[in-house]
């Protein structure tokens, strides 16, 4: 009997990752293999050098194939990028049933109505996610079928992105000889890997701190209340350190990982850090306080932008389950303390859960999106037509097999 396996691919700004897994009961994943390649040709989640990005994708796929002993023909692709935006659109329909009872048909019509948005020509819808229903503009509710009303409305969260940038990502995968079966926004994928049903019901904010992008998604009362992306990430912290302390970028990246803290007040009594000579750089002592001030400023700016988005929708007081940080940036020293100070709720680091098999290499915050994409694919296996409209459209263009 053939083993069913699925592969998830993330073409990140820092690393290209491929996870191969086998579906298990309850939408769990048995990890069969993993491949990763340091990214080249990807910036802020977008392809800026096609050939370099392609060679990284090939290398990541090959590693995953060798580790899992399968040939990958199809992938489920994680999307990110600072150009991804969200909006909420309300769709309303009259309830035409003679007894004014809301039927499945009325729900479908309201949902279709809410999905119909006019976007600028360069943008494409990538996800439409139903939020809450309203009967005659009264209190929000989740299950309207069987209730009586004259008018049914539904709020739809719509994620949209710049079409050409998405197409370039899909084109790289296609050129590496794999079909893109489906795709999902990276924070949504990460949430699938990391969050529990209780956290989603209680209200939780997940932030994926990547290298070139920071993606976020907020759940409140079981629904996805907010999602978005910023073109800011760990690379910006590294660049700030390089510029601010006049260091080569590679030194700044190492310094960030080994010594930087997101909390400026923790460095006062610490001795200077000795940076050894390298290439044309002579070596120097760096003040811990300066390093932390720079790191703190950029991380604070990033998290405050997300807080503003939450506050505009009055969502912060609904985060009973706190904030969960994933992505490589979740490993920054004291980043949970900074998040707690900014969002005023407990913050933790998230790692993929519910896995079996070769879990060691993927049980890390930076693998959340890729592993979550696998779980997203497993969940959708039985739902024909569950793929995003955007991927359906693109895979007819690029399908190779
Ligand atoms: N231990 C660490 N301490 C501090 N920063 C770290 C650590 N490990 C990784 N990072 C940072 O995390 C970032 C990479 O995160 P990740 O691997 O999630 O990015 P990515 O998914 O490739 O990028 P993106 O999603 O933005 O396209 C880099 O900026 C890296 O410097
Ligand atoms: Mg990422």
């Amino acid at each position: 009997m053939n083993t069913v396996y699925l592969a998830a691919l993330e073409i990140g700004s820092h690393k290209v990752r491929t996870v191969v897994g086998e579906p298990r009961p309850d939408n769990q994943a048995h990890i069969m293999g993993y491949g990763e390649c340091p990214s080249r040709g990807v910036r802020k989640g977008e392809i800026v050098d096609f050939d370099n990005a392609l060679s990284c994708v090939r290398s990541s796929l090959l590693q995953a194939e060798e580790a899992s002993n399968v040939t990958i023909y199809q992938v489920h692709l994680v999307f990110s990028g600072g150009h991804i935006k969200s909006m909420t659109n309300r769709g309303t329909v009259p309830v035409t049933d003679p007894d004014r009872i809301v039927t499945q048909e009325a729900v479908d019509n309201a949902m279709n109505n809410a999905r119909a948005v006019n976007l600028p020509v360069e943008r494409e819808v990538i996800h439409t996610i139903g939020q809450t229903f309203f009967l005659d503009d009264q209190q929000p509710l989740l299950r309207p079928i069987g209730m009586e009303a004259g008018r049914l409305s539904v709020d739809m969260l719509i994620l949209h992105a710049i079409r050409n940038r998405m197409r370039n990502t899909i084109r790289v995968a296609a050129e590496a000889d794999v079909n893109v079966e489906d795709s999902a926004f990276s924070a949504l994928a990460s949430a699938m890997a990391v969050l529990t049903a209780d956290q989603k019901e209680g209200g939780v904010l997940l932030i994926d701190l990547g290298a070139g992008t920071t993606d976020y998604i907020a759940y409140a009362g079981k629904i996805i209340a907010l999602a978005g992306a910023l073109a800011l990430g760990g690379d910006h912290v590294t660049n700030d350190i390089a510029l601010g302390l006049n260091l080569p970028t590679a030194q700044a990246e190492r310094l960030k990982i080994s010594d930087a803290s997101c909390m400026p007040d923790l460095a006062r009594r610490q001795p200077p850090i000795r940076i050894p000579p390298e290439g044309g750089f002579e070596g120097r002592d760096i003040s811990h306080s300066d390093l932390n001030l720079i790191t703190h400023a950029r991380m604070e700016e990033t998290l405050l932008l997300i807080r503003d988005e939450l506050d505009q929708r009055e969502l912060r007081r609904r985060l009973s389950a706190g904030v969960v940080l994933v992505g490589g940036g979740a490993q920054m020293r004291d980043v949970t303390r900074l998040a707690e100070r900014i969002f005023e709720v407990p913050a933790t680091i998230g790692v993929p859960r519910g896995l079996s098999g070769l879990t060691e290499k993927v049980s890390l915050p930076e693998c959340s999106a890729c592993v979550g994409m696998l779980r997203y694919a497993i969940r959708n296996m039985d739902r024909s037509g569950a793929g995003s409209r955007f991927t359906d459209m693109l895979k007819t263009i690029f399908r190779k097999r």
Side-chain angles (χ1 to χ4, degrees), residues 275-289:
I275 309 283
E278 183 182 301
F281 174 72
E282 286 181 357
R284 192 147 40 83
D285 283 353
I286 297 288
S287 140
H288 233 122
S289 296

Side-chain angles (χ1 to χ4, degrees), residues 10-15 17 45 78-80 186-187 190 208-215 326-328 365-367 369-370:
E10 181 190 12
I11 308 177
S13 314
H14 186 63
K15 291 221 173 120
R17 301 186 167 92
V78 177
F79 272 125
S80 62
S186 69
S190 292
D208 185 336
L209 295 160
T213 60
T214 296
D215 308 317
V326 296
E366 53 264 50
C367 290
C370 218

Side-chain angles (χ1 to χ4, degrees), residues 285-303:
D285 283 353
I286 297 288
S287 140
H288 233 122
S289 296
D290 291 350
L291 174 65
N292 290 3
L293 272 174
I294 293 170
T295 307
H296 168 81
R298 182 61 87 169
M299 292 308 294
E300 182 184 57
E301 179 203 12
T302 307
L303 298 182

Side-chain angles (χ1 to χ4, degrees), residues 157-215:
L157 185 72
I158 294 175
L159 268 83
H160 51 97
I162 295 181
R163 185 182 302 105
N164 289 346
R165 299 193 192 168
M166 308 283 287
R167 284 173 71 110
N168 284 335
T169 308
I170 295 207
R171 208 178 271 277
V172 170
E175 201 58 36
D177 267 335
V178 287
N179 289 321
V180 176
E181 264 310 290
D182 196 5
S183 63
F185 173 53
S186 69
L188 181 63
S190 292
M192 296 281 301
V194 167
L195 299 181
T196 63
D198 283 350
Q199 283 174 312
K200 290 179 187 172
E201 183 154 8
V204 66
L205 167 69
L206 176 135
I207 306 176
D208 185 336
L209 295 160
T213 60
T214 296
D215 308 317

